[in-house]
Amino acid sequence: MIQKALTIAGSDCGGGAGIQADLKTFQELNVYGMSAITAVTAQNTRGVQGVYPLSADAVIDQLTSIAEDLPPKAIKTGMLVNGDIISHVADFVRLHSWKKLVVDPVMIAKGGASLLERESVNALINELIPLAFVVTPNIPEAEALTGIDILNDVDRKKAAEVLFQMGAKHVVIKGGHQSHAQFVQATDILFDGKRFYDFSSPRVFTPHTHGTGCTFSAVITSQLAKGHTVYDSVHTAKQFITAAISDSLGIGSEHGPTNHWAYHAGMNV
C-alpha cells in the first residue's frame, strides 16, 4: 500500500531546500509526496533574494483539498513565515487529529537570511511545538526556542528536555552546527522523555549543505508514514543525510545542495 506524506513549507526555486527537497526525499523513500506552499522564495546557493508569503487562507485551502481527498499518514512543517500561518496550521492539525507531525522549526537560511518573523517564535513555541510528534531543531534554532546557550552536549540535553516540556513527544537536536575544530563527529541526539540516543557519523567538511535540515526531517516523515518507529526513522535520516552530504553534487557557487539520490546509490554509511 502506498503511504502519503505531506510537507507544509516554502518553495525554493533553486531546488535545494523547502518543498523541493522534501518531495525529492519522499520520492527516494517510496512515499507519495504532497505539498502545501506557505511562501515562494527567490534563492540560490548564494542566498535568499526574496520571500513572498502566501496568505494563511491560501495555505488552509491547500490543506483542506489534501485532507478531503488525500489524507496523509505523516506531515512535516518547514518554513511557516509568520505567526498567522503558524496559528492556522496548528488549528488545522488539531481539527484533523494529525498525530504524526514532524516540526522542523526553520528560522534562518544557510546564508543567514531570516525565514521566520521574530514575533512568530512565540506562536511556534505555544501553538505548534505542543502538537509535534517529533521536533528537529539545529543548535541555533534550539537556542532560539529555549533561551539556552548550547556550548556542549550537556547544554544540548538541557535544551532537549525544555523542548520536551513544551509538549513535543520526541526531540531531535542536530549536531551539524557544533564547532568543527572540537567535534570530528557530527552527532544528533534524540530524546523521548526518558532517555537520550546518539546518532553519529564522521563530519564532512563541505560547503554543500543547503537543504540538510529539510531533507533530514523529510526522511523522518517518510519513515513515520510507513509505520517505522521514531528511533528507526531518525537512524535512517542520519544515514540518508550523511550520504547526501558525502556525495556532493558540486553545483552552485556557494552553499550547494545535497545529493538526494546518494542514499540509494550505495553511499549510505
Side-chain angles (χ1 to χ4, degrees):
M1 181 179 179
I2 300 297
Q3 303 299 346
K4 302 183 293 296
L6 167 66
T7 173
I8 309 169
S11 169
D12 171 6
C13 65
I19 63 158
Q20 285 83 351
D22 295 339
L23 293 174
K24 291 173 186 177
T25 304
F26 293 163
Q27 186 77 11
E28 285 295 315
L29 292 170
N30 300 314
V31 298
Y32 181 79
M34 303 170 292
S35 64
I37 298 174
T38 59
V40 173
T41 69
Q43 62 177 296
N44 52 31
T45 68
R46 297 175 179 175
V48 178
Q49 292 78 47
V51 177
Y52 308 94
L54 274 70
S55 68
D57 286 344
V59 176
I60 294 304
D61 282 351
Q62 293 173 78
L63 294 179
T64 300
S65 294
I66 292 166
E68 289 178 347
D69 187 46
L70 298 160
K73 273 287 188 177
I75 308 95
K76 66 155 287 190
T77 62
M79 173 186 172
L80 296 181
V81 193
N82 57 49
D84 193 28
I85 291 176
I86 292 171
S87 295
H88 279 75
V89 168
D91 287 344
F92 196 91
V93 168
R94 281 190 291 265
L95 177 65
H96 291 270
S97 299
W98 285 349
K99 302 301 183 186
K100 291 185 178 180
L101 175 68
V102 178
V103 175
D104 182 17
V106 175
M107 296 180 178
I108 301 172
K110 274 291 182 295
S114 177
L115 298 176
L116 182 68
E117 296 174 1
R118 289 186 180 276
E119 63 272 18
S120 304
V121 175
N122 284 337
L124 193 61
I125 291 170
N126 295 324
E127 300 190 57
L128 200 61
I129 288 179
L131 301 175
F133 190 57
V134 186
V135 63
T136 64
N138 58 32
I139 287 174
E141 290 162 349
E143 289 178 329
L145 290 168
T146 65
I148 296 172
D149 290 331
I150 299 176
L151 304 177
N152 51 47
D153 285 341
V154 173
D155 295 335
R156 193 149 54 124
K157 288 181 177 179
K158 288 179 181 177
E161 290 171 342
V162 170
L163 287 164
F164 181 82
Q165 291 165 4
M166 289 178 182
K169 303 293 187 298
H170 303 84
V171 179
V172 179
I173 301 183
K174 297 165 289 188
H177 284 75
Q178 287 174 311
S179 168
H180 291 185
Q182 184 178 359
F183 297 96
V184 296
Q185 295 278 315
T187 300
D188 306 326
I189 63 168
L190 164 65
F191 182 55
D192 64 3
K194 295 181 179 179
R195 61 176 292 189
F196 290 92
Y197 304 88
D198 291 347
F199 302 84
S200 295
S201 65
R203 185 178 295 279
V204 179
F205 297 95
T206 175
H208 301 297
T209 56
H210 181 53
T212 50
C214 303
T215 300
F216 183 87
S217 57
V219 176
I220 295 173
T221 307
S222 298
Q223 297 304 96
L224 291 175
K226 293 186 289 187
H228 293 279
T229 66
V230 172
Y231 179 93
D232 288 342
S233 299
V234 175
H235 177 72
T236 299
K238 185 63 171 177
Q239 290 185 312
F240 190 104
I241 202 62
T242 300
I245 296 171
S246 300
D247 189 16
S248 173
L249 295 172
I251 60 176
S253 56
E254 294 191 24
H255 296 290
T258 62
N259 182 351
H260 288 89
W261 62 79
Y263 180 73
H264 284 132
M267 290 297 295
N268 50 309
V269 293

